[in-house]
Amino acid sequence: MEPCDPVEREIRTLSLCRRLCYAAGHFLNDLCASMWFTYLLVYLHSVLGLRSTFAGVLLLIGQVADGVCTPIIGFESDRTPGLRHGKRKSWHLLGTICVILSFPFIFNPCLACSTSTPQWAEVIYFAPLIVIFQFGWAATQISHLALIPELVASESAKVELTAYRYAFSVMANIIVYTVAFLLFHFLAQEDFTDNLGKEDIPLFRILALALLGVGAVFSFIFHIGIKEKSGDDPLLAPSPDEDAPRVRVLQWQHWLKEPSFYQVAFLYMCTRLIVNLSQSYISVYLTNSLLLPKKYIAIIPLVMYVSGFVSSLTMKPISKFIMYFVGLLLVISFALWVLFDKNMGAESIYGATVLLGAGSAVILVMSLSMTAKLIGEQTQSAAFVYGAMSFTDKVANGVGIIIIQSIRPCSTEACCPECIWFYRDVMATVTGGVGLAAAVGLLTILIWPLSAVWDGGSEARPALSHRE
């Protein structure tokens, strides 16, 4: 199988075939992330029977491991010498292998444990597996994101490539929830109960293995279809122009002195908090607060991501500021609906879910596009920037989850009356509250447009204003 059509050197655009091959490169990560955020807490707590604090600790370990790994991987990826396979693709391959080897054991009971094994021992068993998985996930994510400014040059092309990437992400989530629904519908009928329990362990095991098989195929397509340019290729550096001002190359330490770097990092962190925390708690909200049958933990997330997929297809390279603001309005509307609709049930949850799915898709694509705009032609440090952005969101997500799990009214497997509406308040807070914080961050970009100094300090590169 030959790679798709070569990159057009003068304008650095990608054919449709290459755009699809690029988007396929994060498909395995998206499948695993969907199952991780949507089902890990409910699996550890309701299926394996771990205390809510232990379940939160395991998820926190994963988020902290991912957060620590991302900037380190970004730094090492940027300084990796040119390899025949490509430095970004080499890190991507390493990450893919780690994910495939570790993920099946996370959604499988402790192999060396018995019914008398204390729960803290199970935490020790799962912790290293989760760290390996998160290292692999981070290596795949950062190397894949760092390819965007290397493969395309124009801002519209970066937005389009990011939209393709997110469309594949939504497709991955749709596959996860569709397969989960089919498994719940056919395999779970044997236990004649709408509640999750140990009898559902085979269901989650099959789901994890099926997703790994599909994701491995897409990773293979990515490595065959995308040809990464070597580090010394002029494609990766701006063409010299005698009339243009001298441009300073930004390394990792230079980014830490740029105010725009922190503006984008805060906005990206808020975006990921909204997307990841809502995804993590939607299942327990459905089962514990709305008291819906367990099949809804597949149906409702599926509706959410279908709406996100549709919205990602309608995105155009217009004002990032306006598009992000529109996405925030949809997310905050969901929060208000959930908070004030005291009779939320199986019918009305569909409409609220559509708002959350569409809004989450818009703000995620736009925040990634703003990051690509910030990097511009500074591709030599792109992986560090993406790694640093990811560090903020992973640590914030981990801290947020452990706080929520710690203040949960009931620490046992069963949900007591006091915690029935606890998860409703969680869903409203992580979407509406964090959405307001994101709006403040967006306002700072409107007042102080994004810019990064490229030269010695006398001239700034073009800024990203609310019109872009």
Side-chain angles (χ1 to χ4, degrees):
M1 180 177 179
E2 295 296 329
C4 302
D5 298 335
V7 178
E8 195 70 32
R9 297 181 61 86
E10 292 80 4
I11 56 177
R12 279 169 55 190
T13 59
L14 295 177
S15 66
L16 176 61
C17 177
R18 287 180 64 89
R19 291 197 294 270
L20 294 175
C21 288
Y22 169 79
H26 205 254
F27 204 71
L28 174 61
N29 260 24
D30 292 326
L31 291 171
C32 293
S34 176
M35 190 168 179
W36 169 272
F37 283 111
T38 307
Y39 296 130
L40 183 66
L41 281 178
V42 72
Y43 173 76
L44 294 175
H45 185 60
S46 300
V47 178
L48 295 187
L50 293 182
R51 295 179 58 185
S52 60
T53 50
F54 284 145
V57 165
L58 284 174
L59 208 151
L60 174 64
I61 290 174
Q63 293 305 105
V64 171
D66 194 356
V68 171
C69 288
T70 44
I72 296 175
I73 291 172
F75 175 75
E76 292 297 328
S77 175
D78 286 332
R79 52 179 252 166
T80 299
L83 302 173
R84 182 175 181 181
H85 191 59
K87 64 179 183 180
R88 309 298 188 195
K89 289 177 63 180
S90 296
W91 279 94
H92 185 283
L93 180 61
L94 173 63
T96 299
I97 294 173
C98 290
V99 168
I100 291 176
L101 293 179
S102 59
F103 191 72
F105 295 97
I106 296 175
F107 283 90
N108 203 56
C110 173
L111 298 179
C113 300
S114 63
T115 54
S116 61
T117 302
Q119 293 193 353
W120 60 262
E122 295 187 61
V123 173
I124 295 176
Y125 169 84
F126 283 113
L129 294 171
I130 288 175
V131 170
I132 295 172
F133 164 68
Q134 291 293 357
F135 169 83
W137 200 95
T140 304
Q141 179 202 34
I142 298 306
S143 58
H144 193 256
L145 284 171
L147 278 172
I148 293 179
E150 296 186 4
L151 294 175
V152 293
S154 69
E155 294 308 314
S156 61
K158 292 176 183 177
V159 173
E160 184 180 32
L161 200 58
T162 303
Y164 270 88
R165 185 179 185 273
Y166 186 77
F168 268 64
S169 175
V170 174
M171 288 173 56
N173 282 273
I174 291 173
I175 289 176
V176 171
Y177 302 132
T178 301
V179 175
F181 171 75
L182 294 175
L183 291 174
F184 278 120
H185 182 71
F186 292 105
L187 297 185
Q189 286 184 350
E190 300 176 0
D191 54 41
F192 300 102
T193 176
D194 283 331
N195 299 319
L196 290 168
K198 291 187 180 296
E199 63 276 1
D200 295 305
I201 289 176
L203 186 150
F204 285 95
R205 181 191 300 124
I206 295 173
L207 179 60
L209 293 175
L211 298 181
L212 282 179
V214 174
V217 173
F218 278 80
S219 295
F220 178 77
I221 293 173
F222 165 77
H223 282 276
I224 295 298
I226 291 294
K227 179 176 174 56
E228 181 184 349
K229 296 297 180 179
S230 60
D232 56 353
D233 196 296
L235 176 65
L236 302 184
S239 302
D241 188 345
E242 295 180 356
D243 298 329
R246 293 188 62 185
V247 171
R248 175 167 64 95
V249 175
L250 295 181
Q251 300 300 338
W252 69 271
Q253 63 269 29
H254 300 133
W255 285 110
L256 298 179
K257 301 176 183 178
E258 293 295 335
S260 298
F261 176 80
Y262 297 98
Q263 287 178 283
V264 176
F266 179 78
L267 196 65
Y268 183 77
M269 178 190 71
C270 292
T271 302
R272 279 296 185 178
L273 279 172
I274 293 172
V275 174
N276 293 344
L277 290 183
S278 63
Q279 189 175 3
S280 296
Y281 285 99
I282 187 70
S283 295
V284 287
Y285 168 66
L286 294 171
T287 56
N288 291 348
S289 294
L290 301 187
L291 304 177
L292 296 176
K294 60 186 178 183
K295 66 179 181 179
Y296 278 88
I297 70 174
I299 297 175
I300 296 303
L302 177 61
V303 172
M304 181 171 66
Y305 277 92
V306 168
S307 64
F309 178 70
V310 173
S311 66
S312 68
L313 295 179
T314 60
M315 292 182 200
K316 300 297 181 182
I318 57 176
S319 169
K320 299 179 180 65
F321 183 92
I322 295 176
M323 289 293 293
Y324 192 96
F325 183 71
V326 170
L328 274 184
L329 290 180
L330 295 176
V331 170
I332 294 175
S333 298
F334 164 84
L336 295 175
W337 193 342
V338 167
L339 185 62
F340 293 109
D341 188 354
K342 304 298 183 182
N343 298 316
M344 178 77 74
E347 295 79 16
S348 54
I349 188 61
Y350 286 100
T353 300
V354 169
L355 293 178
L356 178 61
S360 298
V362 172
I363 61 176
L364 184 56
V365 170
M366 290 302 107
S367 64
L368 288 172
S369 299
M370 290 181 190
T371 306
K373 172 69 177 181
L374 180 70
I375 294 171
E377 294 291 335
Q378 300 289 338
T379 59
Q380 73 288 334
S381 55
F384 170 78
V385 175
Y386 281 116
M389 301 294 167
S390 186
F391 171 80
T392 62
D393 99 74
K394 297 304 189 304
V395 174
N397 274 284
V399 172
I401 286 173
I402 195 63
I403 291 175
I404 293 171
Q405 293 298 105
S406 299
I407 64 176
R408 181 180 183 269
C410 307
S411 60
T412 59
E413 179 182 348
C415 186
C416 59
E418 289 79 11
C419 81
I420 289 181
W421 293 111
F422 171 74
Y423 290 112
R424 180 203 64 182
D425 298 335
V426 168
M427 289 297 295
T429 301
V430 300
T431 53
V434 180
L436 292 176
V440 173
L442 193 65
L443 182 62
T444 66
I445 296 177
L446 176 62
I447 299 174
W448 300 286
L450 301 180
S451 63
V453 179
W454 275 22
D455 61 5
S458 59
E459 296 185 19
R461 70 184 242 198
L464 173 61
S465 69
H466 62 281
R467 297 182 180 85
E468 297 186 10

